[in-house]
Structure formats: structure tokens, C-alpha cells
């Protein structure tokens, strides 16, 4: 259907008039996925805090690793409903099938994507050394193919 409010399918709308300055949405800070949530996480928080101490604070990296972890643990995650609500594929070349990629060969967008893909491989290598090798058992997938898939997914979620 058209969704609520005459066609709204995404976003927030008010069901009544709001006074100037009146909050229309309030989300408790501990319900916001971010660096603070990642650092306080009972499974990966200590690891991320150590990384922050050794390599500097990285809000994006912390959130991405938290997304990867929560996707990996599935229904055991406190964020399971949220993770399940996120898209599992995107309209970027990383999620295109081979036939679609072939159709777009030579386009600037595909060239840009492969440039980004080249930067993801070193990122995954760094994560292997700094995170996955010292993470608590069961915190992340053990095979590199799934780690790559989860990293690509988490980056796409972050940038969407």
C-alpha cells in the first residue's frame, strides 16, 4: 500500500501539531548504535577500547565492528530486531550479480566501486591482525569469506 499518512513509507511524521521546540522523537542514548555502545559492549568492548588506546578513537570503525559482531551472533544479539530490519543487499555494485556487472563494465561507477573494493581488502587484512585474531571466541565469523561479506555489509549500512 501507500503506507501511513497518505504515502509515507520511510521517515517520521507527526500525528498531531507540535509546539515549536517540542521533541517529536526521543531515543535513549544506550539505544543508539555507535562508538559509545561498542566500547561498552560486554563481548567486544575491551578489545575496541584497547584498539582505541593503541591506534586512536575510530567511531566509524567501532560501529562497523559492532554491526559485524551483532550480525554474527544473530538472535542472541540484544540488537537482533534492529539488525534483522537492515537491508542485506544494496543497489551498489558490490551487491550486483556477475551479469549485471558485465553490463556496466567501463562505466565510471564500476571503476569507482573496484577502487573502493581494493581499499576494503587491506582494511580486512588490518582487521584480521588487530581485531579478529585477538577477539573473544565466537565474536566474529572465523572464515575470511564471511568476514569480507559482513564488512562489506556493515560499511554499506554505515554509508546508507
Amino acid at each position: 500500500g501507500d503506507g501511513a499518512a497518505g504515502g509515507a513509507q520511510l521517515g517520521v511524521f507527526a500525528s498531531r501539531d507540535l509546539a515549536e521546540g517540542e521533541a517529536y522523537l526521543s531515543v535513549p542514548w544506550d539505544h543508539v548504535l555507535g562508538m559509545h555502545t561498542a566500547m561498552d559492549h560486554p563481548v567486544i568492548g575491551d578489545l575496541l577500547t584497547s584498539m582505541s588506546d593503541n591506534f586512536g578513537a575510530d567511531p566509524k570503525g567501532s560501529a562497523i565492528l559492532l554491526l559485524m559482531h551483532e550480525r554474527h551472533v544473530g538472535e542472541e544479539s540484544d540488537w537482533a530486531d534492529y539488525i534483522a530490519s537492515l537491508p542485506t543487499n544494496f543497489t551498489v555494485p558490490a551487491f550486483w550479480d556477475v551479469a549485471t556487472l558485465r553490463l556496466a563494465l567501463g562505466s565510471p561507477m564500476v571503476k569507482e566501486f573496484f577502487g573502493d573494493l581494493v581499499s576494503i581488502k587491506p582494511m580486512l587484512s588490518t582487521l584480521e591482525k588487530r581485531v579478529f585474531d585477538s577477539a573473544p571466541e565466537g565474536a566474529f565469523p572465523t572464515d575470511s569469506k564471511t568476514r569480507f561479506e559482513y564488512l562489506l555489509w556493515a560499511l554499506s549500512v554505515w554509508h546508507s
Side-chain angles (χ1 to χ4, degrees):
D2 283 347
Q9 295 183 21
L10 182 64
V12 176
F13 64 93
S15 61
R16 63 173 177 77
D17 288 339
L18 299 173
E20 186 175 332
E22 181 181 358
Y24 63 89
L25 177 68
S26 178
V27 179
W29 191 236
D30 63 340
H31 287 85
V32 176
L33 193 141
M35 185 168 178
H36 67 286
T37 319
M39 300 298 232
D40 291 339
H41 194 277
V43 176
I44 62 172
D46 289 344
L47 174 65
L48 296 178
T49 299
S50 174
M51 283 183 52
S52 181
D53 292 345
N54 292 325
F55 305 108
D58 182 3
K60 175 182 172 181
S62 297
I64 285 169
L65 287 166
L66 182 58
L67 282 167
M68 291 176 69
H69 167 74
E70 298 300 338
R71 182 174 178 192
H72 177 63
V73 298
E75 290 299 317
E76 295 175 27
S77 168
D78 290 340
W79 296 87
D81 291 339
Y82 172 68
I83 298 298
S85 77
L86 296 172
T88 54
N89 59 44
F90 297 82
T91 56
V92 296
F95 294 91
W96 292 357
D97 60 41
V98 173
T100 305
L101 277 172
R102 283 191 183 124
L103 290 173
L105 282 178
S107 78
M109 183 175 61
V110 172
K111 287 180 185 175
E112 181 181 337
F113 160 70
F114 282 111
D116 291 346
L117 191 57
V118 167
S119 70
I120 292 173
K121 297 253 182 202
M123 183 187 304
L124 185 60
S125 178
T126 299
L127 290 174
E128 295 280 353
K129 294 174 193 149
R130 292 184 182 174
V131 178
F132 304 139
D133 289 349
S134 48
E137 188 173 334
F140 296 98
T142 55
D143 66 288
S144 55
K145 181 180 179 192
T146 304
R147 287 176 177 171
F148 179 80
E149 174 191 322
Y150 281 19
L151 176 59
L152 196 56
W153 168 82
L155 285 166
S156 297
V157 167
W158 177 264
H159 288 289
S160 65

